[in-house]
Coordinates of all heavy atoms in Angstrom, one line a residue:
P667 N 6.2 24.3 25.5 CA 5.3 24.4 24.3 C 5.4 23.1 23.4 O 6.3 22.3 23.5 CB 5.9 25.6 23.5 CG 7.4 25.6 23.9 CD 7.4 25.1 25.3
F668 N 4.4 23.1 22.5 CA 4.4 22.1 21.5 C 5.3 22.6 20.4 O 5.3 23.8 20.1 CB 2.9 21.9 20.9 CG 2.0 21.5 22.0 CD1 0.9 22.4 22.3 CD2 2.1 20.3 22.6 CE1 0.0 22.0 23.2 CE2 1.1 20.0 23.6 CZ 0.1 20.8 23.9
I669 N 6.0 21.8 19.7 CA 7.0 22.2 18.7 C 6.5 21.6 17.3 O 6.2 20.4 17.2 CB 8.4 21.6 19.0 CG1 8.9 21.9 20.4 CG2 9.4 22.0 18.0 CD1 9.0 23.4 20.8
A670 N 6.4 22.5 16.4 CA 6.1 22.1 15.0 C 7.4 22.0 14.2 O 8.2 22.9 14.2 CB 5.2 23.1 14.3
E671 N 7.6 20.9 13.5 CA 8.7 20.7 12.7 C 8.4 20.2 11.3 O 7.4 19.5 11.1 CB 9.6 19.6 13.3 CG 10.3 19.9 14.6 CD 11.2 18.8 15.0 OE1 10.9 17.6 14.8 OE2 12.2 19.1 15.7
I672 N 9.2 20.6 10.3 CA 9.1 20.1 9.0 C 10.5 19.6 8.7 O 11.5 20.4 8.8 CB 8.7 21.2 7.9 CG1 7.3 21.7 8.2 CG2 8.9 20.7 6.5 CD1 6.9 22.9 7.3
N673 N 10.6 18.4 8.3 CA 11.9 17.7 8.0 C 13.0 18.0 9.1 O 14.1 18.3 8.8 CB 12.5 18.2 6.7 CG 11.6 17.8 5.5 OD1 10.9 16.7 5.6 ND2 11.5 18.7 4.5
G674 N 12.5 18.0 10.4 CA 13.4 18.2 11.5 C 13.7 19.6 11.9 O 14.4 19.9 12.8
E675 N 13.3 20.5 11.1 CA 13.5 22.0 11.3 C 12.3 22.5 12.2 O 11.1 22.3 11.8 CB 13.6 22.8 10.0 CG 13.7 24.3 10.3 CD 13.6 25.1 9.0 OE1 13.4 24.5 7.9 OE2 13.7 26.3 9.1
I676 N 12.6 23.2 13.2 CA 11.6 23.9 14.0 C 11.0 25.0 13.2 O 11.7 25.9 12.8 CB 12.1 24.4 15.4 CG1 12.6 23.2 16.2 CG2 11.0 25.1 16.1 CD1 13.2 23.6 17.5
V677 N 9.7 25.0 13.0 CA 9.0 26.0 12.2 C 7.9 26.7 12.9 O 7.2 27.6 12.4 CB 8.4 25.4 10.8 CG1 9.6 24.9 9.9 CG2 7.5 24.2 11.1
G678 N 7.7 26.3 14.2 CA 6.6 27.0 15.0 C 6.6 26.4 16.4 O 7.1 25.3 16.6
F679 N 5.9 27.1 17.3 CA 5.7 26.6 18.6 C 4.5 27.3 19.2 O 4.2 28.5 18.9 CB 7.0 26.7 19.5 CG 7.4 28.1 19.9 CD1 7.1 28.5 21.2 CD2 8.1 28.9 19.1 CE1 7.5 29.8 21.6 CE2 8.6 30.1 19.5 CZ 8.2 30.6 20.7
A680 N 3.9 26.6 20.1 CA 2.7 27.2 20.8 C 2.6 26.4 22.1 O 2.9 25.2 22.2 CB 1.5 27.1 20.0
D681 N 2.1 27.0 23.2 CA 1.9 26.3 24.4 C 0.4 26.4 24.8 O -0.4 27.2 24.3 CB 2.7 27.0 25.5 CG 2.3 28.4 25.9 OD1 2.4 29.3 25.1 OD2 1.7 28.5 27.0
L682 N 0.1 25.5 25.7 CA -1.3 25.5 26.3 C -1.1 25.2 27.8 O -0.6 24.2 28.2 CB -2.1 24.4 25.7 CG -3.5 24.2 26.3 CD1 -4.3 25.5 26.2 CD2 -4.2 23.0 25.7
Q683 N -1.4 26.2 28.6 CA -1.3 26.1 30.1 C -2.5 25.4 30.6 O -3.6 25.2 30.0 CB -1.1 27.4 30.7 CG 0.1 28.2 30.2 CD 1.4 27.4 30.3 OE1 1.8 26.9 31.3 NE2 2.1 27.2 29.2
A684 N -2.4 24.9 31.9 CA -3.4 24.0 32.5 C -4.8 24.8 32.6 O -5.8 24.1 32.6 CB -3.0 23.6 33.9
D685 N -4.8 26.1 32.7 CA -6.0 26.8 32.8 C -6.6 27.3 31.4 O -7.6 28.0 31.4 CB -5.8 28.1 33.7 CG -4.9 29.1 33.1 OD1 -4.2 28.8 32.0 OD2 -4.8 30.2 33.6
G686 N -5.9 26.8 30.3 CA -6.4 27.2 29.0 C -5.7 28.3 28.4 O -6.0 28.7 27.2
Y687 N -4.8 28.9 29.1 CA -4.0 30.1 28.5 C -3.0 29.7 27.5 O -2.2 28.8 27.7 CB -3.4 30.9 29.7 CG -2.6 32.1 29.3 CD1 -3.3 33.1 28.6 CD2 -1.3 32.3 29.5 CE1 -2.7 34.3 28.2 CE2 -0.6 33.4 29.1 CZ -1.3 34.4 28.5 OH -0.7 35.6 28.1
I688 N -3.0 30.4 26.4 CA -2.0 30.2 25.3 C -1.1 31.4 25.5 O -1.4 32.5 25.1 CB -2.6 30.2 23.9 CG1 -3.6 29.0 23.8 CG2 -1.5 30.1 22.9 CD1 -4.5 29.0 22.6
D689 N 0.1 31.2 26.0 CA 1.1 32.3 26.3 C 1.9 32.6 25.0 O 2.1 33.8 24.7 CB 2.0 31.9 27.4 CG 2.9 33.0 27.8 OD1 2.5 34.2 27.6 OD2 4.0 32.7 28.4
H690 N 2.3 31.6 24.3 CA 3.1 31.8 23.0 C 2.5 31.1 21.9 O 2.0 29.9 22.0 CB 4.5 31.3 23.2 CG 5.4 32.3 24.0 ND1 5.3 32.5 25.3 CD2 6.4 33.1 23.6 CE1 6.2 33.4 25.7 NE2 6.9 33.8 24.6
F691 N 2.5 31.7 20.7 CA 2.0 31.1 19.5 C 2.8 31.7 18.3 O 2.4 32.9 17.9 CB 0.5 31.2 19.3 CG -0.1 30.2 18.3 CD1 -1.0 29.3 18.7 CD2 0.3 30.3 17.0 CE1 -1.5 28.3 17.8 CE2 -0.3 29.4 16.1 CZ -1.2 28.4 16.5
F692 N 3.8 31.1 17.8 CA 4.6 31.7 16.8 C 4.9 30.7 15.7 O 5.2 29.5 15.9 CB 6.0 32.2 17.4 CG 5.9 33.4 18.2 CD1 5.7 33.3 19.6 CD2 5.9 34.7 17.6 CE1 5.6 34.5 20.4 CE2 5.8 35.8 18.4 CZ 5.7 35.7 19.8
C693 N 4.8 31.2 14.5 CA 5.2 30.4 13.3 C 6.4 31.1 12.6 O 6.4 32.3 12.5 CB 4.0 30.4 12.3 SG 2.6 29.5 12.9
H694 N 7.3 30.3 12.2 CA 8.5 30.8 11.5 C 8.2 31.8 10.4 O 7.3 31.5 9.6 CB 9.3 29.6 11.0 CG 10.7 29.9 10.6 ND1 11.0 30.7 9.5 CD2 11.9 29.5 11.1 CE1 12.3 30.7 9.4 NE2 12.9 30.0 10.3
A695 N 8.9 32.9 10.3 CA 8.7 33.9 9.3 C 8.7 33.4 7.9 O 7.9 33.9 7.1 CB 9.7 35.0 9.5
E696 N 9.5 32.4 7.6 CA 9.6 31.8 6.3 C 8.6 30.7 6.0 O 8.6 30.1 5.0 CB 11.0 31.4 6.0 CG 12.0 32.5 6.0 CD 13.4 32.1 5.8 OE1 13.7 30.9 5.5 OE2 14.3 32.9 6.0
H697 N 7.8 30.4 7.0 CA 6.8 29.3 6.9 C 5.4 29.7 7.2 O 4.5 28.9 7.5 CB 7.2 28.1 7.8 CG 8.5 27.4 7.4 ND1 8.5 26.5 6.4 CD2 9.7 27.6 7.8 CE1 9.7 26.1 6.2 NE2 10.5 26.8 7.0
Q698 N 5.1 31.0 7.0 CA 3.8 31.6 7.2 C 2.9 31.1 6.0 O 3.3 31.0 4.9 CB 3.8 33.1 7.2 CG 4.7 33.7 8.2 CD 4.0 33.9 9.5 OE1 2.9 34.4 9.6 NE2 4.7 33.6 10.6
G699 N 1.6 30.8 6.4 CA 0.7 30.4 5.3 C 0.9 29.0 4.8 O 0.4 28.6 3.7
Q700 N 1.7 28.1 5.5 CA 2.0 26.8 5.0 C 1.3 25.7 5.9 O 1.6 24.5 5.8 CB 3.5 26.6 5.0 CG 4.2 27.5 4.0 CD 5.7 27.3 4.0 OE1 6.2 26.4 4.6 NE2 6.4 28.1 3.2
G701 N 0.4 26.1 6.8 CA -0.3 25.1 7.6 C 0.3 24.9 9.0 O -0.2 24.1 9.7
V702 N 1.4 25.6 9.3 CA 2.1 25.4 10.6 C 1.1 25.8 11.7 O 0.9 25.1 12.7 CB 3.4 26.1 10.6 CG1 4.0 26.0 12.0 CG2 4.4 25.6 9.6
G703 N 0.6 27.0 11.6 CA -0.3 27.5 12.6 C -1.5 26.7 12.8 O -2.0 26.4 13.9
K704 N -2.1 26.2 11.6 CA -3.3 25.3 11.7 C -2.9 24.0 12.4 O -3.7 23.6 13.3 CB -3.8 25.0 10.3 CG -5.0 24.1 10.3 CD -5.4 23.7 8.9 CE -6.7 22.8 8.9 NZ -6.8 21.9 10.0
A705 N -1.8 23.4 12.1 CA -1.4 22.2 12.8 C -1.2 22.4 14.3 O -1.6 21.6 15.1 CB -0.1 21.7 12.2
L706 N -0.6 23.5 14.7 CA -0.4 23.9 16.1 C -1.8 24.1 16.8 O -2.0 23.6 17.9 CB 0.5 25.1 16.3 CG 2.0 24.8 16.1 CD1 2.8 26.1 16.0 CD2 2.5 24.0 17.3
M707 N -2.7 24.9 16.1 CA -4.0 25.1 16.7 C -4.8 23.9 16.9 O -5.4 23.7 17.9 CB -4.7 26.2 15.9 CG -6.0 26.7 16.6 SD -5.6 27.6 18.2 CE -5.2 29.2 17.5
D708 N -4.8 23.0 15.8 CA -5.5 21.7 15.9 C -5.0 20.9 17.1 O -5.7 20.3 17.8 CB -5.4 20.9 14.6 CG -6.2 21.5 13.5 OD1 -7.0 22.4 13.7 OD2 -5.9 21.1 12.3
H709 N -3.6 20.9 17.3 CA -3.0 20.2 18.4 C -3.5 20.8 19.7 O -3.8 20.0 20.7 CB -1.5 20.2 18.3 CG -0.8 19.2 19.1 ND1 -0.7 17.9 18.8 CD2 -0.2 19.4 20.4 CE1 -0.1 17.3 19.8 NE2 0.2 18.2 20.8
I710 N -3.5 22.1 19.8 CA -4.0 22.7 21.1 C -5.4 22.4 21.4 O -5.8 22.1 22.5 CB -3.8 24.3 21.0 CG1 -2.3 24.6 21.2 CG2 -4.6 25.0 22.0 CD1 -2.0 26.1 21.0
F711 N -6.3 22.4 20.3 CA -7.7 22.0 20.5 C -7.8 20.6 21.1 O -8.5 20.3 22.0 CB -8.5 22.2 19.2 CG -8.8 23.6 18.8 CD1 -9.3 23.8 17.6 CD2 -8.7 24.6 19.7 CE1 -9.6 25.1 17.2 CE2 -9.0 25.9 19.4 CZ -9.5 26.2 18.1

């Protein structure tokens, strides 16, 4: 997966498989609504 970090702390992760399948997409419980998911989704796109 792609790893999202803030100041070296892992705050989310998401993967993109070769056929376009996203198997995992998780944002840290304490970092919800802070742009982590958006950054990961933009990266996946």
Side-chain angles (χ1 to χ4, degrees):
F668 304 115
I669 308 298
E671 290 183 327
I672 296 175
N673 298 325
E675 177 190 359
I676 296 175
V677 294
F679 70 100
D681 69 292
L682 176 61
Q683 301 306 307
D685 67 350
Y687 182 59
I688 300 168
D689 186 24
H690 280 73
F691 198 114
F692 286 93
C693 296
H694 193 291
E696 293 175 12
H697 292 277
Q698 301 274 317
Q700 297 178 7
V702 174
K704 180 186 184 322
L706 283 167
M707 191 63 81
D708 288 347
H709 193 81
I710 285 174
F711 285 166

